Amino acid sequence: MNILEQKIVTTRKDHHCFGCARKVFKGSKMQAITTVDGGDISRNYWCATCQEYWSRYMQDGDLIGYGELKSEDSERWEALRNELEIDFS
Ligand SMILES: [Zn+2]
């Protein structure tokens, strides 16, 4: 799998984050990663928490399935989310 493009975008529609499978509403800043695998091009979106999780704990070349960044290590992921996201509830 090769990364073709990686950029921060302001989403124009709702997306699910690839790392944690949460729904992120349009108008959010997400990282859009376009990859090619064989002949298949796909684009995935990542929320800020998952971007930070990846840069802290994962290595380039690591592969995960959809939602696994959170589901594989939910305790550490939740701790990071609490650190990064302000919760007014
Ligand atoms: Zn996420």
Side-chain angles (χ1 to χ4, degrees), residues 17-22 46-47 49-50 77:
C17 171
F18 190 82
C20 61
R22 287 187 303 172
W46 295 75
C47 71
T49 299
C50 289
W77 188 93

Side-chain angles (χ1 to χ4, degrees), residues 14-73:
D14 297 348
H15 289 287
H16 286 85
C17 171
F18 190 82
C20 61
R22 287 187 303 172
K23 188 174 188 178
V24 179
F25 293 101
K26 66 180 178 185
S28 304
K29 285 212 175 352
M30 297 185 82
Q31 177 146 240
I33 300 180
T34 307
T35 57
V36 60
D37 190 0
D40 297 326
I41 292 178
S42 57
R43 172 176 268 196
N44 295 311
Y45 291 86
W46 295 75
C47 71
T49 299
C50 289
Q51 289 166 43
E52 180 64 20
Y53 186 100
W54 190 279
S55 69
R56 283 195 200 184
Y57 303 121
M58 307 295 279
Q59 307 288 332
D60 282 350
D62 282 351
L63 290 176
I64 63 157
Y66 179 69
E68 283 181 4
L69 213 57
K70 181 181 177 193
S71 65
E72 291 288 294
D73 190 356

Side-chain angles (χ1 to χ4, degrees), residues 69-85:
L69 213 57
K70 181 181 177 193
S71 65
E72 291 288 294
D73 190 356
S74 59
E75 217 166 283
R76 192 158 65 170
W77 188 93
E78 288 288 352
L80 186 60
R81 185 183 71 87
N82 287 333
E83 190 183 317
L84 296 176
E85 296 181 21

